[in-house]
Amino acid sequence: QVQLVESGGGLVQPGGSLRLSCAASGSIISIYVMGWYRQAPGKQREWVATITTGNSTRYADSVKGRFTISRDNAKNTVYLQMNSLKPEDTAVYYCKLGQLQPSWGQGTQVTVSS
């Protein structure tokens, strides 16, 4: 059974940075497309970034140029480096493994506030 555990969230001031991690167990991430999503209070979950098995990346327009997704297959972990954070980035961030029958982590809270 696949388990995804996100970590690295917290409270940060606008303009600050955080790095989220998603550690997988029960499956090898190297064969899957991995993604990050987020859900703000009162809003639907939205896509943030994707990294393919060949390390191609795509980003939502709202985070392009500020966020970077990466993967370390040896550690079975996916990362989301978030720079120049804005209050509107406040959300619970979720890691997703796969596409057709995806697995999700439990989420990690990111709060951007002064």
Side-chain angles (χ1 to χ4, degrees):
Q1 186 174 354
V2 177
Q3 281 195 323
L4 302 174
V5 179
E6 300 98 333
S7 62
L11 173 64
V12 63
Q13 292 187 341
S17 298
L18 284 174
R19 187 175 84 151
L20 306 183
S21 299
C22 172
S25 60
S27 185
I28 302 172
I29 69 165
S30 61
I31 63 173
Y32 291 101
V33 174
M34 302 294 295
W36 284 97
Y37 288 69
R38 66 186 181 186
Q39 188 167 15
K43 295 187 177 180
Q44 289 189 329
R45 189 172 299 188
E46 65 175 1
W47 168 71
V48 173
T50 296
I51 185 165
T52 69
T53 55
N55 288 331
S56 295
T57 56
R58 292 191 301 122
Y59 300 92
D61 287 344
S62 59
V63 307
K64 200 173 295 183
R66 300 187 298 122
F67 290 11
T68 302
I69 188 171
S70 62
R71 63 196 303 160
D72 185 336
N73 292 335
K75 295 183 178 180
N76 225 30
T77 300
V78 175
Y79 303 97
L80 185 68
Q81 177 67 44
M82 306 186 295
N83 299 328
S84 302
L85 283 161
K86 305 175 181 180
E88 51 264 43
D89 294 319
T90 295
V92 178
Y93 283 71
Y94 297 90
C95 175
K96 177 186 172 185
L97 178 147
Q99 294 176 294
L100 292 180
Q101 291 183 307
S103 296
W104 295 87
Q106 83 291 344
T108 185
Q109 176 70 47
V110 172
T111 303
V112 185
S113 175
S114 55

